[in-house]
Amino acid sequence: MNELAILDAIQLIHTPWLDTLVAAYTSTSDVGQIWILLGIVLAIIPKTRKLGAAVLIAVLLGAIVTSGILKPLIMRPRPCDVNPLVPMIIDRPHGSSFPSGHATAAFAAFGALLFSKGPKPLVIVVGIGAVLMALTRLYCYVHYPTDVLAGTIVGLLAGFAAAKIVEAVSRKLQERRSQSHI
């Protein structure tokens, strides 16, 4: 199926109250701020410090891959540029379309929590938040479904890598602590 046809079908569910809600939620991740804030809050709490570090590292890794490498390399036009007749509910984002930076950041945070074996309720809430964030990008007509899918994959890979990095660093620090007590 044509990706623009999918986006056009989504346009049929627009309502003023949903437009307001979607625009507000999607704007919380224009620079990944909601996921960065989550990471900072988790990092401040001693019990969840490693989870916070994993979230922050994952969001950073995802941004490097998505905005630093893939977007400039692929330069895919956004759907709103291809079909400018669709009314916009948010300002046109800067840069190109592939992959979705919003989806990348959201799924990086989710992946970091999932692969770090974070508390199940938190993993579920952040997972739902990530799915909703990805869907807002389709609703806003600023990303194709494959942009969101690619962002999801990059984000999950970044989350996995961050979880492994934090685990390895934590193990190394533990080894150093135990050797210094000998």
Side-chain angles (χ1 to χ4, degrees):
M1 183 176 210
N2 178 334
E3 289 190 83
L4 277 176
I6 294 168
L7 295 177
D8 290 341
I10 292 170
Q11 298 308 297
L12 300 175
I13 66 169
H14 274 257
T15 64
W17 70 269
L18 192 53
D19 288 358
T20 302
L21 194 65
V22 167
Y25 184 57
T26 204
S27 73
T28 66
S29 191
D30 287 345
V31 290
Q33 63 268 38
I34 191 172
W35 313 113
I36 293 168
L37 181 60
L38 171 66
I40 290 169
V41 169
L42 291 171
I44 289 171
I45 302 166
K47 186 177 178 181
T48 58
R49 188 158 288 143
K50 289 183 209 173
L51 290 175
V55 168
L56 292 170
I57 291 167
V59 171
L60 177 63
L61 289 174
I64 290 168
V65 171
T66 294
S67 297
I69 300 170
L70 295 175
K71 280 181 180 274
L73 185 68
I74 296 169
M75 294 296 295
R76 183 181 195 182
R78 292 182 180 274
C80 57
D81 296 333
V82 173
N83 183 5
L85 299 177
V86 173
M88 299 293 293
I89 64 166
I90 60 169
D91 292 337
R92 186 213 176 274
H94 300 289
S96 58
S97 188
F98 185 90
S100 167
H102 282 67
T104 299
F107 279 94
F110 169 66
L113 294 173
L114 178 69
F115 296 121
S116 297
K117 296 179 176 62
K120 199 171 196 165
L122 180 62
V123 173
I124 290 169
V125 167
V126 173
I128 291 168
V131 169
L132 292 174
M133 184 60 70
L135 291 174
T136 67
R137 307 312 284 168
L138 303 176
Y139 185 92
C140 291
Y141 215 80
V142 293
H143 282 292
Y144 295 97
T146 50
D147 299 341
V148 169
L149 177 62
T152 298
I153 293 167
V154 170
L156 288 172
L157 290 172
F160 179 79
K164 293 300 176 190
I165 289 167
V166 169
E167 183 182 309
V169 168
S170 179
R171 196 174 328 113
K172 243 342 181 195
L173 290 173
Q174 279 296 105
E175 288 171 10
R176 280 192 183 157
R177 279 190 206 116
S178 63
Q179 287 175 353
S180 69
H181 289 7
I182 296 175

